[in-house]
Amino acid sequence: MINVVAGIIFNSDQQSVLLALRKPEQHQGGRWEFPGGKQEGDETLEAALSRELLEEINLTPKTFQFRRIIEHRYADKAVRLHFYDVTEFSGIAQGREGQTVQWVPVCDLDKLEIPAANRLIVDELLAGCSNS
C-alpha cells in the first residue's frame, strides 16, 4: 500500500479547485487529479503535503484541514490517499514538472476524466452543486 497525500486546493471564493493533468506516460495518464504525491520515509503527512505541492505546482499550503482517507486498488498497485482541503496558500500555481494545471469550477468536475481513486471526493464536492 502506497501512502499518498493530495490537496483539494480551493480558490479564494471556494468555487473552483486546482487540478493537474497526469502525463500520458504516467499511471492513470490523461486524467485530471488533485495535486500531491507519495509520502517519503518518516515525514508526516502534513510535511509530505507541503513538500509535494511546492515541488509539483509551486504552492505552499498555509491553511489546510484533513478531509478523509480513501484506499483504492488498481490492477497494478494499491494506494492509500490522504486528502486535505487547502483553503489558503502562497505562490502562483504552475506545473513545475511540465504538467498542465487548471482551476476548475467545482460544479464542472463531473465533465472531466479523473482517476477512480478520486471519484468519492469529486462526488462529495458535486453534492454542493445545484442541478439547474
Side-chain angles (χ1 to χ4, degrees):
M1 185 73 64
I2 301 167
N3 276 315
V4 174
V5 292
I8 304 164
I9 304 166
F10 291 90
N11 69 344
S12 59
D13 67 6
Q14 309 286 300
Q15 299 300 305
S16 295
V17 292
L18 187 70
L19 297 180
L21 184 62
R22 293 188 65 77
K23 294 180 187 175
E25 65 273 13
Q26 291 178 302
H27 182 263
Q28 296 290 301
R31 294 176 186 264
W32 292 91
E33 67 176 354
F34 298 104
K38 296 177 190 170
Q39 181 184 26
E40 292 183 359
D42 61 354
E43 73 181 342
T44 65
L45 293 167
E46 292 80 9
L49 180 69
S50 292
R51 178 185 50 75
E52 284 287 346
L53 295 184
L54 183 59
E55 287 176 1
E56 287 192 10
I57 59 168
N58 197 44
L59 296 182
T60 300
K62 298 292 187 188
T63 304
F64 54 94
Q65 181 175 0
F66 175 76
R67 177 182 279 257
R68 71 165 45 246
I69 294 172
I70 296 175
E71 291 185 358
H72 188 82
R73 292 193 177 279
Y74 291 102
D76 58 340
K77 67 171 72 176
V79 293
R80 179 180 295 119
L81 293 147
H82 303 261
F83 287 94
Y84 288 83
D85 289 353
V86 178
T87 53
E88 188 179 347
F89 54 86
S90 63
I92 297 173
Q94 60 181 319
R96 295 181 77 182
E97 298 174 343
Q99 75 279 36
T100 299
V101 294
Q102 181 175 318
W103 289 102
V104 177
V106 169
C107 295
D108 288 346
L109 289 173
D110 59 344
K111 298 175 182 171
L112 302 175
E113 294 239 11
I114 59 159
N118 291 338
R119 185 78 246 169
L120 180 61
I121 299 297
V122 168
D123 290 345
E124 286 177 0
L125 294 170
L126 287 171
C129 297
S130 66
N131 292 329
S132 55

